[in-house]
Amino acid sequence: MSIRQVNNVLPDNKAGIGVGRALIAAVMAVGGPVLPGTRVTRIRSGAARGELVRAAGVASGPRVMYYIHGSGYVVCSARTHRGLASRLSKVTGLPVFVLEYRLAPEHRFPAAADDVAAGYQWLLDQGHQAGDIVVGGDSAGCHLTLDLLLQNYRAGTAQPVGAFMFSPLMDLSLTMAERLDRQRPDPMAAAVTGRKLIGLYTEAEPAHSPRLKLSIPPNAVLPPLFIQASAEEMLSDDARHLAQMAAAAATPCLLQLWPGRIHVFQALPLLIPEAASALRHVANFVADAFSAADFPAAEAS
């Protein structure tokens, strides 16, 4: 039985959600184990919870990556993404703070978004300047990432130097995803299954809420964006939509669509060898973002 078939038959009750969480954790552990020598420090400071992950040889310093995991606001954790965080740390040379935000259905909207904002503020309170932070995320974590950037813009909070996104979820109605899923069934889960998970988080919040249906205002001051997705996955149109929104708002954005891959393939290097190459592209984006922050005048010229 495939992952899609298992996900499609799991009930959206406590038992079904528990099985789903265990299944995804097992897949992540097998397909993307933690690199040897990785150091993990658990963070518990007010509303900021998570793990600070450093690959072997990576020291603490002023620069840091802030990572927001995905899986429909219901599944996954800092622990499930520890392997991906260790690889991101190794390839970039940065410590990676993986947020442990509250999950649905135990915690409804806007709990996760509030925790993302609290995690960013915690990094600032630790002495990291905004110009020393790069943000990353996958799937629903990308929706939370864009929400953070938009909230920063509205509040006048200093932005990180850049944000990269794997298989971004943007349309919480999954209308675009459902159309693609009918054309080519996604191997991870059906669109209808994803919609049920998202509904456990959004609950009674109106679909047109500006915190759910995100849009980038014209000329909003957002950091450069870097997007990677599988060309055939059901969220590929979400990735295109985000890139189009960024272009319309004059936000620098690079979109990469990888043929023949799966949702968030970057997290599964033992199953998807191209994950290593994808992460090297991320490392280049991160290096360029910090370089531009260091020399803004030269970049502008």
Side-chain angles (χ1 to χ4, degrees), residues 92-174:
T92 63
L94 296 173
V96 180
F97 174 45
V98 187
L99 183 71
E100 188 82 72
Y101 60 82
R102 290 170 290 173
L103 298 176
E106 296 89 346
H107 304 280
R108 311 281 186 166
F109 172 86
D114 288 347
D115 290 350
V116 169
Y120 185 70
Q121 185 60 51
W122 178 80
L123 287 172
L124 296 176
D125 292 343
Q126 295 306 297
H128 297 285
Q129 300 297 312
D132 289 327
I133 302 172
V134 64
V135 181
D138 64 88
S139 195
C142 300
H143 189 277
L144 292 167
T145 296
L146 182 58
D147 178 69
L148 171 68
L149 300 180
L150 292 171
Q151 292 299 104
N152 285 350
Y153 163 67
R154 293 176 183 123
T157 302
Q159 297 281 20
V161 296
F164 64 89
M165 305 187 186
F166 301 145
S167 300
L169 170 65
M170 289 290 120
D171 173 20
L172 299 193
S173 73
L174 290 186

Side-chain angles (χ1 to χ4, degrees), residues 70-75 101 104 139-141 169 194 197-201:
S71 287
Y73 310 96
V74 174
V75 187
Y101 60 82
S139 195
L169 170 65
L197 286 181
I198 294 168
L200 294 175
Y201 176 61

Side-chain angles (χ1 to χ4, degrees), residues 228-259:
Q228 290 181 335
S230 168
E232 293 83 19
E233 69 169 293
M234 68 178 178
L235 291 184
S236 60
D237 273 357
D238 284 58
R240 295 183 184 94
H241 173 64
L242 174 57
Q244 290 163 359
M245 284 199 300
T251 296
C253 181
L254 175 63
L255 170 64
Q256 290 183 344
L257 295 175
W258 293 64

Side-chain angles (χ1 to χ4, degrees), residues 20-35:
R21 288 172 176 171
L23 172 66
I24 296 301
V27 171
M28 296 284 279
V30 170
V34 180
L35 292 177

